Amino acid sequence: MRYSQQLIKAMSLLSDNPKTLFIGQAVEYEGTGLYESLKHIPSEKRLELPVAEYFQTGLANGMAIEGMIPISVYPRWNFLLMGVDQIVNHLDKFKTMSMGKCNPKVIIRVAVGSEYPVDPQCQHKGNFTEAFRSMTKNIEVIELIRPTDILPEYEKALNRDDGVSTILVEYGDLSKD
C-alpha cells in the first residue's frame, strides 16, 4: 500500500476512537497536503483552528489533561516551532511534575515540507526530529519513512498507556505517490 493510502487508513483508525479529535490548520478545509488524508473524516471529529500554534499546543494539552486524545496537526515542523514551550516545558514534563499522576496523551502529527513540485525554501521544509528527541524525555518522536510503518506507529501512539505522547513525522514528498 502506498504512503498516502496508509496515512488515510491511519487517520481512519484514529477517528474511530471516541476520545480523539483532530485539531489544527487545514483539518476541516483545504490548504495543505495533510488535508487529503483527513477529508474523509467526519467533520465533528475535526476542529479547524486559526494560525495560532502556541494556542493549538496549549489547547491540545488541556484536552489531554481532561482525558481526550487530541491529534494536533501541524503542516510543517517550522510551524510547530511556535508551540515548543507548550511541548517541551509542559506536555513533556506533566508526568514528572505530577509524580506520575497526570499523564496526558497528545498525538502530534507534523510534516517535513515537500520540495517538489515547488521548493518552499528553507523556512518551510525544516526537519527538527533530532532536536525534539534531545529536548524531551516523555515524548517519543517517530519518523514515518516506510509506508508499512505508518499504521502500526499511529496505532501504538493511540493505544499507549505509559504516559508518553508521540510526535509522528511525515514526509510531504513521500505522500505524493
PDB file of all heavy atoms in Angstrom, residues 133-167:
ATOM      1  N   ARG A 133      13.918  15.128  19.901  1.00  0.00           N
ATOM      2  CA  ARG A 133      14.339  13.937  20.649  1.00  0.00           C
ATOM      3  C   ARG A 133      15.275  14.318  21.788  1.00  0.00           C
ATOM      4  O   ARG A 133      15.197  13.754  22.878  1.00  0.00           O
ATOM      5  CB  ARG A 133      15.027  12.935  19.718  1.00  0.00           C
ATOM      6  CG  ARG A 133      14.068  12.176  18.857  1.00  0.00           C
ATOM      7  CD  ARG A 133      14.781  11.194  17.953  1.00  0.00           C
ATOM      8  NE  ARG A 133      13.816  10.416  17.181  1.00  0.00           N
ATOM      9  CZ  ARG A 133      14.049   9.938  15.974  1.00  0.00           C
ATOM     10  NH1 ARG A 133      15.219  10.146  15.371  1.00  0.00           N
ATOM     11  NH2 ARG A 133      13.113   9.246  15.345  1.00  0.00           N
ATOM     12  N   SER A 134      16.154  15.277  21.545  1.00  0.00           N
ATOM     13  CA  SER A 134      17.108  15.660  22.589  1.00  0.00           C
ATOM     14  C   SER A 134      16.470  16.554  23.656  1.00  0.00           C
ATOM     15  O   SER A 134      16.958  16.607  24.775  1.00  0.00           O
ATOM     16  CB  SER A 134      18.330  16.349  21.973  1.00  0.00           C
ATOM     17  OG  SER A 134      18.005  17.617  21.472  1.00  0.00           O
ATOM     18  N   MET A 135      15.374  17.242  23.343  1.00  0.00           N
ATOM     19  CA  MET A 135      14.737  18.153  24.300  1.00  0.00           C
ATOM     20  C   MET A 135      13.670  17.495  25.161  1.00  0.00           C
ATOM     21  O   MET A 135      13.220  18.096  26.133  1.00  0.00           O
ATOM     22  CB  MET A 135      14.087  19.332  23.558  1.00  0.00           C
ATOM     23  CG  MET A 135      15.073  20.289  22.941  1.00  0.00           C
ATOM     24  SD  MET A 135      14.263  21.778  22.293  1.00  0.00           S
ATOM     25  CE  MET A 135      13.350  21.146  20.893  1.00  0.00           C
ATOM     26  N   THR A 136      13.225  16.295  24.801  1.00  0.00           N
ATOM     27  CA  THR A 136      12.099  15.681  25.515  1.00  0.00           C
ATOM     28  C   THR A 136      12.458  14.300  26.040  1.00  0.00           C
ATOM     29  O   THR A 136      13.261  13.584  25.442  1.00  0.00           O
ATOM     30  CB  THR A 136      10.864  15.581  24.600  1.00  0.00           C
ATOM     31  OG1 THR A 136      11.191  14.795  23.456  1.00  0.00           O
ATOM     32  CG2 THR A 136      10.389  16.949  24.155  1.00  0.00           C
ATOM     33  N   LYS A 137      11.827  13.932  27.150  1.00  0.00           N
ATOM     34  CA  LYS A 137      12.034  12.611  27.740  1.00  0.00           C
ATOM     35  C   LYS A 137      10.756  11.774  27.741  1.00  0.00           C
ATOM     36  O   LYS A 137      10.810  10.556  27.769  1.00  0.00           O
ATOM     37  CB  LYS A 137      12.546  12.760  29.168  1.00  0.00           C
ATOM     38  CG  LYS A 137      13.936  13.356  29.261  1.00  0.00           C
ATOM     39  CD  LYS A 137      14.420  13.369  30.688  1.00  0.00           C
ATOM     40  CE  LYS A 137      15.784  13.935  30.919  1.00  0.00           C
ATOM     41  NZ  LYS A 137      16.520  14.523  29.879  1.00  0.00           N
ATOM     42  N   ASN A 138       9.596  12.431  27.764  1.00  0.00           N
ATOM     43  CA  ASN A 138       8.312  11.731  27.832  1.00  0.00           C
ATOM     44  C   ASN A 138       7.507  11.886  26.549  1.00  0.00           C
ATOM     45  O   ASN A 138       6.282  11.757  26.570  1.00  0.00           O
ATOM     46  CB  ASN A 138       7.503  12.244  29.026  1.00  0.00           C
ATOM     47  CG  ASN A 138       8.157  11.896  30.342  1.00  0.00           C
ATOM     48  OD1 ASN A 138       8.510  10.758  30.583  1.00  0.00           O
ATOM     49  ND2 ASN A 138       8.359  12.887  31.190  1.00  0.00           N
ATOM     50  N   ILE A 139       8.206  12.164  25.465  1.00  0.00           N
ATOM     51  CA  ILE A 139       7.576  12.249  24.146  1.00  0.00           C
ATOM     52  C   ILE A 139       8.432  11.424  23.197  1.00  0.00           C
ATOM     53  O   ILE A 139       9.641  11.628  23.112  1.00  0.00           O
ATOM     54  CB  ILE A 139       7.484  13.707  23.643  1.00  0.00           C
ATOM     55  CG1 ILE A 139       6.603  14.535  24.580  1.00  0.00           C
ATOM     56  CG2 ILE A 139       6.955  13.750  22.206  1.00  0.00           C
ATOM     57  CD1 ILE A 139       6.553  16.018  24.254  1.00  0.00           C
ATOM     58  N   GLU A 140       7.798  10.498  22.515  1.00  0.00           N
ATOM     59  CA  GLU A 140       8.512   9.703  21.520  1.00  0.00           C
ATOM     60  C   GLU A 140       8.348  10.367  20.162  1.00  0.00           C
ATOM     61  O   GLU A 140       7.241  10.744  19.783  1.00  0.00           O
ATOM     62  CB  GLU A 140       7.978   8.269  21.477  1.00  0.00           C
ATOM     63  CG  GLU A 140       8.785   7.380  20.561  1.00  0.00           C
ATOM     64  CD  GLU A 140       8.387   5.914  20.619  1.00  0.00           C
ATOM     65  OE1 GLU A 140       7.329   5.588  21.213  1.00  0.00           O
ATOM     66  OE2 GLU A 140       9.128   5.101  20.056  1.00  0.00           O
ATOM     67  N   VAL A 141       9.443  10.518  19.451  1.00  0.00           N
ATOM     68  CA  VAL A 141       9.432  11.135  18.126  1.00  0.00           C
ATOM     69  C   VAL A 141       9.730  10.047  17.101  1.00  0.00           C
ATOM     70  O   VAL A 141      10.801   9.439  17.121  1.00  0.00           O
ATOM     71  CB  VAL A 141      10.460  12.280  18.019  1.00  0.00           C
ATOM     72  CG1 VAL A 141      10.345  12.974  16.670  1.00  0.00           C
ATOM     73  CG2 VAL A 141      10.273  13.283  19.152  1.00  0.00           C
ATOM     74  N   ILE A 142       8.767   9.798  16.233  1.00  0.00           N
ATOM     75  CA  ILE A 142       8.856   8.709  15.255  1.00  0.00           C
ATOM     76  C   ILE A 142       8.862   9.285  13.846  1.00  0.00           C
ATOM     77  O   ILE A 142       7.959  10.040  13.482  1.00  0.00           O
ATOM     78  CB  ILE A 142       7.633   7.760  15.376  1.00  0.00           C
ATOM     79  CG1 ILE A 142       7.474   7.239  16.793  1.00  0.00           C
ATOM     80  CG2 ILE A 142       7.707   6.640  14.357  1.00  0.00           C
ATOM     81  CD1 ILE A 142       8.546   6.301  17.249  1.00  0.00           C
ATOM     82  N   GLU A 143       9.842   8.908  13.050  1.00  0.00           N
ATOM     83  CA  GLU A 143       9.874   9.304  11.641  1.00  0.00           C
ATOM     84  C   GLU A 143       9.186   8.217  10.817  1.00  0.00           C
ATOM     85  O   GLU A 143       9.518   7.042  10.941  1.00  0.00           O
ATOM     86  CB  GLU A 143      11.302   9.492  11.156  1.00  0.00           C
ATOM     87  CG  GLU A 143      11.969  10.713  11.739  1.00  0.00           C
ATOM     88  CD  GLU A 143      13.349  10.923  11.184  1.00  0.00           C
ATOM     89  OE1 GLU A 143      14.282  10.258  11.694  1.00  0.00           O
ATOM     90  OE2 GLU A 143      13.492  11.729  10.255  1.00  0.00           O
ATOM     91  N   LEU A 144       8.243   8.621  10.003  1.00  0.00           N
ATOM     92  CA  LEU A 144       7.484   7.692   9.167  1.00  0.00           C
ATOM     93  C   LEU A 144       8.061   7.728   7.748  1.00  0.00           C
ATOM     94  O   LEU A 144       7.614   8.484   6.902  1.00  0.00           O
ATOM     95  CB  LEU A 144       6.008   8.072   9.175  1.00  0.00           C
ATOM     96  CG  LEU A 144       5.351   8.041  10.557  1.00  0.00           C
ATOM     97  CD1 LEU A 144       3.946   8.612  10.497  1.00  0.00           C
ATOM     98  CD2 LEU A 144       5.361   6.629  11.128  1.00  0.00           C
ATOM     99  N   ILE A 145       9.035   6.889   7.526  1.00  0.00           N
ATOM    100  CA  ILE A 145       9.727   6.867   6.238  1.00  0.00           C
ATOM    101  C   ILE A 145       9.166   5.766   5.344  1.00  0.00           C
ATOM    102  O   ILE A 145       8.943   5.984   4.155  1.00  0.00           O
ATOM    103  CB  ILE A 145      11.248   6.710   6.444  1.00  0.00           C
ATOM    104  CG1 ILE A 145      11.763   7.952   7.198  1.00  0.00           C
ATOM    105  CG2 ILE A 145      11.968   6.519   5.119  1.00  0.00           C
ATOM    106  CD1 ILE A 145      13.171   7.866   7.686  1.00  0.00           C
ATOM    107  N   ARG A 146       8.902   4.611   5.906  1.00  0.00           N
ATOM    108  CA  ARG A 146       8.361   3.495   5.111  1.00  0.00           C
ATOM    109  C   ARG A 146       6.840   3.436   5.265  1.00  0.00           C
ATOM    110  O   ARG A 146       6.329   3.537   6.387  1.00  0.00           O
ATOM    111  CB  ARG A 146       8.966   2.177   5.567  1.00  0.00           C
ATOM    112  CG  ARG A 146      10.467   2.101   5.336  1.00  0.00           C
ATOM    113  CD  ARG A 146      11.025   0.796   5.776  1.00  0.00           C
ATOM    114  NE  ARG A 146      10.453   0.431   7.087  1.00  0.00           N
ATOM    115  CZ  ARG A 146      10.782  -0.637   7.768  1.00  0.00           C
ATOM    116  NH1 ARG A 146      11.653  -1.484   7.298  1.00  0.00           N
ATOM    117  NH2 ARG A 146      10.233  -0.897   8.933  1.00  0.00           N
ATOM    118  N   PRO A 147       6.121   3.267   4.183  1.00  0.00           N
ATOM    119  CA  PRO A 147       4.653   3.180   4.268  1.00  0.00           C
ATOM    120  C   PRO A 147       4.174   2.112   5.251  1.00  0.00           C
ATOM    121  O   PRO A 147       3.180   2.312   5.935  1.00  0.00           O
ATOM    122  CB  PRO A 147       4.226   2.847   2.836  1.00  0.00           C
ATOM    123  CG  PRO A 147       5.321   3.369   1.983  1.00  0.00           C
ATOM    124  CD  PRO A 147       6.585   3.200   2.787  1.00  0.00           C
ATOM    125  N   THR A 148       4.909   1.010   5.352  1.00  0.00           N
ATOM    126  CA  THR A 148       4.493  -0.079   6.238  1.00  0.00           C
ATOM    127  C   THR A 148       4.599   0.282   7.714  1.00  0.00           C
ATOM    128  O   THR A 148       4.036  -0.409   8.555  1.00  0.00           O
ATOM    129  CB  THR A 148       5.324  -1.344   5.964  1.00  0.00           C
ATOM    130  OG1 THR A 148       6.715  -1.011   6.060  1.00  0.00           O
ATOM    131  CG2 THR A 148       5.016  -1.916   4.580  1.00  0.00           C
ATOM    132  N   ASP A 149       5.300   1.368   8.043  1.00  0.00           N
ATOM    133  CA  ASP A 149       5.425   1.797   9.444  1.00  0.00           C
ATOM    134  C   ASP A 149       4.280   2.698   9.893  1.00  0.00           C
ATOM    135  O   ASP A 149       4.060   2.864  11.095  1.00  0.00           O
ATOM    136  CB  ASP A 149       6.740   2.561   9.651  1.00  0.00           C
ATOM    137  CG  ASP A 149       7.956   1.670   9.488  1.00  0.00           C
ATOM    138  OD1 ASP A 149       7.833   0.442   9.656  1.00  0.00           O
ATOM    139  OD2 ASP A 149       9.040   2.206   9.184  1.00  0.00           O
ATOM    140  N   ILE A 150       3.568   3.284   8.957  1.00  0.00           N
ATOM    141  CA  ILE A 150       2.594   4.331   9.285  1.00  0.00           C
ATOM    142  C   ILE A 150       1.476   3.831  10.193  1.00  0.00           C
ATOM    143  O   ILE A 150       1.255   4.366  11.289  1.00  0.00           O
ATOM    144  CB  ILE A 150       2.040   4.987   7.999  1.00  0.00           C
ATOM    145  CG1 ILE A 150       3.174   5.733   7.287  1.00  0.00           C
ATOM    146  CG2 ILE A 150       0.863   5.908   8.311  1.00  0.00           C
ATOM    147  CD1 ILE A 150       2.820   6.229   5.890  1.00  0.00           C
ATOM    148  N   LEU A 151       0.744   2.836   9.768  1.00  0.00           N
ATOM    149  CA  LEU A 151      -0.390   2.352  10.552  1.00  0.00           C
ATOM    150  C   LEU A 151       0.041   1.807  11.924  1.00  0.00           C
ATOM    151  O   LEU A 151      -0.544   2.184  12.947  1.00  0.00           O
ATOM    152  CB  LEU A 151      -1.194   1.320   9.764  1.00  0.00           C
ATOM    153  CG  LEU A 151      -2.504   0.881  10.404  1.00  0.00           C
ATOM    154  CD1 LEU A 151      -3.446   2.060  10.634  1.00  0.00           C
ATOM    155  CD2 LEU A 151      -3.171  -0.177   9.544  1.00  0.00           C
ATOM    156  N   PRO A 152       1.069   0.949  11.998  1.00  0.00           N
ATOM    157  CA  PRO A 152       1.463   0.451  13.326  1.00  0.00           C
ATOM    158  C   PRO A 152       1.921   1.545  14.288  1.00  0.00           C
ATOM    159  O   PRO A 152       1.644   1.477  15.489  1.00  0.00           O
ATOM    160  CB  PRO A 152       2.613  -0.519  13.024  1.00  0.00           C
ATOM    161  CG  PRO A 152       2.522  -0.845  11.590  1.00  0.00           C
ATOM    162  CD  PRO A 152       1.814   0.283  10.919  1.00  0.00           C
ATOM    163  N   GLU A 153       2.587   2.574  13.777  1.00  0.00           N
ATOM    164  CA  GLU A 153       3.073   3.636  14.663  1.00  0.00           C
ATOM    165  C   GLU A 153       1.927   4.521  15.154  1.00  0.00           C
ATOM    166  O   GLU A 153       1.916   4.943  16.310  1.00  0.00           O
ATOM    167  CB  GLU A 153       4.155   4.471  13.983  1.00  0.00           C
ATOM    168  CG  GLU A 153       5.450   3.710  13.757  1.00  0.00           C
ATOM    169  CD  GLU A 153       6.171   3.282  15.031  1.00  0.00           C
ATOM    170  OE1 GLU A 153       5.799   3.697  16.148  1.00  0.00           O
ATOM    171  OE2 GLU A 153       7.130   2.502  14.904  1.00  0.00           O
ATOM    172  N   TYR A 154       0.968   4.814  14.288  1.00  0.00           N
ATOM    173  CA  TYR A 154      -0.198   5.588  14.746  1.00  0.00           C
ATOM    174  C   TYR A 154      -1.023   4.754  15.729  1.00  0.00           C
ATOM    175  O   TYR A 154      -1.541   5.277  16.712  1.00  0.00           O
ATOM    176  CB  TYR A 154      -1.051   6.065  13.570  1.00  0.00           C
ATOM    177  CG  TYR A 154      -0.607   7.408  13.040  1.00  0.00           C
ATOM    178  CD1 TYR A 154       0.062   7.523  11.831  1.00  0.00           C
ATOM    179  CD2 TYR A 154      -0.854   8.579  13.757  1.00  0.00           C
ATOM    180  CE1 TYR A 154       0.482   8.764  11.350  1.00  0.00           C
ATOM    181  CE2 TYR A 154      -0.440   9.815  13.298  1.00  0.00           C
ATOM    182  CZ  TYR A 154       0.225   9.897  12.092  1.00  0.00           C
ATOM    183  OH  TYR A 154       0.637  11.131  11.639  1.00  0.00           O
ATOM    184  N   GLU A 155      -1.136   3.465  15.473  1.00  0.00           N
ATOM    185  CA  GLU A 155      -1.875   2.589  16.387  1.00  0.00           C
ATOM    186  C   GLU A 155      -1.190   2.536  17.755  1.00  0.00           C
ATOM    187  O   GLU A 155      -1.838   2.599  18.799  1.00  0.00           O
ATOM    188  CB  GLU A 155      -1.990   1.191  15.783  1.00  0.00           C
ATOM    189  CG  GLU A 155      -2.883   0.277  16.566  1.00  0.00           C
ATOM    190  CD  GLU A 155      -3.184  -1.011  15.812  1.00  0.00           C
ATOM    191  OE1 GLU A 155      -2.412  -1.412  14.924  1.00  0.00           O
ATOM    192  OE2 GLU A 155      -4.221  -1.624  16.129  1.00  0.00           O
ATOM    193  N   LYS A 156       0.126   2.445  17.759  1.00  0.00           N
ATOM    194  CA  LYS A 156       0.885   2.451  19.015  1.00  0.00           C
ATOM    195  C   LYS A 156       0.660   3.767  19.769  1.00  0.00           C
ATOM    196  O   LYS A 156       0.434   3.768  20.982  1.00  0.00           O
ATOM    197  CB  LYS A 156       2.378   2.266  18.719  1.00  0.00           C
ATOM    198  CG  LYS A 156       3.262   2.352  19.939  1.00  0.00           C
ATOM    199  CD  LYS A 156       4.729   2.257  19.547  1.00  0.00           C
ATOM    200  CE  LYS A 156       5.632   2.521  20.736  1.00  0.00           C
ATOM    201  NZ  LYS A 156       7.055   2.566  20.325  1.00  0.00           N
ATOM    202  N   ALA A 157       0.723   4.882  19.054  1.00  0.00           N
ATOM    203  CA  ALA A 157       0.511   6.192  19.688  1.00  0.00           C
ATOM    204  C   ALA A 157      -0.877   6.278  20.307  1.00  0.00           C
ATOM    205  O   ALA A 157      -1.044   6.809  21.408  1.00  0.00           O
ATOM    206  CB  ALA A 157       0.716   7.306  18.663  1.00  0.00           C
ATOM    207  N   LEU A 158      -1.876   5.765  19.610  1.00  0.00           N
ATOM    208  CA  LEU A 158      -3.254   5.803  20.095  1.00  0.00           C
ATOM    209  C   LEU A 158      -3.451   4.931  21.325  1.00  0.00           C
ATOM    210  O   LEU A 158      -4.115   5.333  22.284  1.00  0.00           O
ATOM    211  CB  LEU A 158      -4.206   5.348  18.980  1.00  0.00           C
ATOM    212  CG  LEU A 158      -5.683   5.252  19.351  1.00  0.00           C
ATOM    213  CD1 LEU A 158      -6.246   6.635  19.694  1.00  0.00           C
ATOM    214  CD2 LEU A 158      -6.464   4.616  18.206  1.00  0.00           C
ATOM    215  N   ASN A 159      -2.881   3.752  21.329  1.00  0.00           N
ATOM    216  CA  ASN A 159      -3.168   2.764  22.372  1.00  0.00           C
ATOM    217  C   ASN A 159      -2.213   2.778  23.553  1.00  0.00           C
ATOM    218  O   ASN A 159      -2.457   2.073  24.530  1.00  0.00           O
ATOM    219  CB  ASN A 159      -3.208   1.363  21.754  1.00  0.00           C
ATOM    220  CG  ASN A 159      -4.367   1.219  20.798  1.00  0.00           C
ATOM    221  OD1 ASN A 159      -5.450   1.744  21.031  1.00  0.00           O
ATOM    222  ND2 ASN A 159      -4.138   0.531  19.687  1.00  0.00           N
ATOM    223  N   ARG A 160      -1.174   3.577  23.498  1.00  0.00           N
ATOM    224  CA  ARG A 160      -0.206   3.541  24.596  1.00  0.00           C
ATOM    225  C   ARG A 160      -0.820   4.095  25.881  1.00  0.00           C
ATOM    226  O   ARG A 160      -1.645   5.000  25.847  1.00  0.00           O
ATOM    227  CB  ARG A 160       1.090   4.244  24.213  1.00  0.00           C
ATOM    228  CG  ARG A 160       1.016   5.717  24.011  1.00  0.00           C
ATOM    229  CD  ARG A 160       2.307   6.317  23.464  1.00  0.00           C
ATOM    230  NE  ARG A 160       3.487   5.740  24.053  1.00  0.00           N
ATOM    231  CZ  ARG A 160       4.693   5.707  23.459  1.00  0.00           C
ATOM    232  NH1 ARG A 160       4.857   6.249  22.271  1.00  0.00           N
ATOM    233  NH2 ARG A 160       5.712   5.146  24.056  1.00  0.00           N
ATOM    234  N   ASP A 161      -0.387   3.535  26.997  1.00  0.00           N
ATOM    235  CA  ASP A 161      -0.887   3.981  28.304  1.00  0.00           C
ATOM    236  C   ASP A 161       0.264   4.191  29.283  1.00  0.00           C
ATOM    237  O   ASP A 161       0.107   4.047  30.486  1.00  0.00           O
ATOM    238  CB  ASP A 161      -1.911   2.994  28.863  1.00  0.00           C
ATOM    239  CG  ASP A 161      -1.347   1.596  29.076  1.00  0.00           C
ATOM    240  OD1 ASP A 161      -0.136   1.381  28.803  1.00  0.00           O
ATOM    241  OD2 ASP A 161      -2.096   0.715  29.523  1.00  0.00           O
ATOM    242  N   ASP A 162       1.415   4.558  28.741  1.00  0.00           N
ATOM    243  CA  ASP A 162       2.618   4.718  29.547  1.00  0.00           C
ATOM    244  C   ASP A 162       2.937   6.174  29.889  1.00  0.00           C
ATOM    245  O   ASP A 162       4.016   6.478  30.381  1.00  0.00           O
ATOM    246  CB  ASP A 162       3.811   4.083  28.828  1.00  0.00           C
ATOM    247  CG  ASP A 162       4.041   4.650  27.436  1.00  0.00           C
ATOM    248  OD1 ASP A 162       3.284   5.555  27.006  1.00  0.00           O
ATOM    249  OD2 ASP A 162       4.967   4.162  26.749  1.00  0.00           O
ATOM    250  N   GLY A 163       2.008   7.083  29.640  1.00  0.00           N
ATOM    251  CA  GLY A 163       2.246   8.476  29.953  1.00  0.00           C
ATOM    252  C   GLY A 163       3.159   9.191  28.971  1.00  0.00           C
ATOM    253  O   GLY A 163       3.704  10.245  29.273  1.00  0.00           O
ATOM    254  N   VAL A 164       3.315   8.609  27.799  1.00  0.00           N
ATOM    255  CA  VAL A 164       4.188   9.177  26.777  1.00  0.00           C
ATOM    256  C   VAL A 164       3.333   9.654  25.606  1.00  0.00           C
ATOM    257  O   VAL A 164       2.484   8.922  25.102  1.00  0.00           O
ATOM    258  CB  VAL A 164       5.227   8.134  26.296  1.00  0.00           C
ATOM    259  CG1 VAL A 164       6.053   8.664  25.134  1.00  0.00           C
ATOM    260  CG2 VAL A 164       6.137   7.723  27.457  1.00  0.00           C
ATOM    261  N   SER A 165       3.558  10.879  25.190  1.00  0.00           N
ATOM    262  CA  SER A 165       2.921  11.405  23.984  1.00  0.00           C
ATOM    263  C   SER A 165       3.802  11.063  22.793  1.00  0.00           C
ATOM    264  O   SER A 165       4.947  10.626  22.959  1.00  0.00           O
ATOM    265  CB  SER A 165       2.729  12.917  24.095  1.00  0.00           C
ATOM    266  OG  SER A 165       1.735  13.215  25.055  1.00  0.00           O
ATOM    267  N   THR A 166       3.281  11.264  21.598  1.00  0.00           N
ATOM    268  CA  THR A 166       4.017  10.877  20.396  1.00  0.00           C
ATOM    269  C   THR A 166       3.965  11.983  19.360  1.00  0.00           C
ATOM    270  O   THR A 166       2.910  12.558  19.104  1.00  0.00           O
ATOM    271  CB  THR A 166       3.411   9.591  19.778  1.00  0.00           C
ATOM    272  OG1 THR A 166       3.265   8.596  20.792  1.00  0.00           O
ATOM    273  CG2 THR A 166       4.299   9.050  18.667  1.00  0.00           C
ATOM    274  N   ILE A 167       5.120  12.267  18.765  1.00  0.00           N
ATOM    275  CA  ILE A 167       5.209  13.122  17.590  1.00  0.00           C
ATOM    276  C   ILE A 167       5.503  12.210  16.416  1.00  0.00           C
ATOM    277  O   ILE A 167       6.512  11.492  16.421  1.00  0.00           O
ATOM    278  CB  ILE A 167       6.319  14.188  17.725  1.00  0.00           C
ATOM    279  CG1 ILE A 167       6.033  15.129  18.896  1.00  0.00           C
ATOM    280  CG2 ILE A 167       6.469  14.970  16.418  1.00  0.00           C
ATOM    281  CD1 ILE A 167       7.153  16.134  19.186  1.00  0.00           C
TER     282      ILE A 167
END
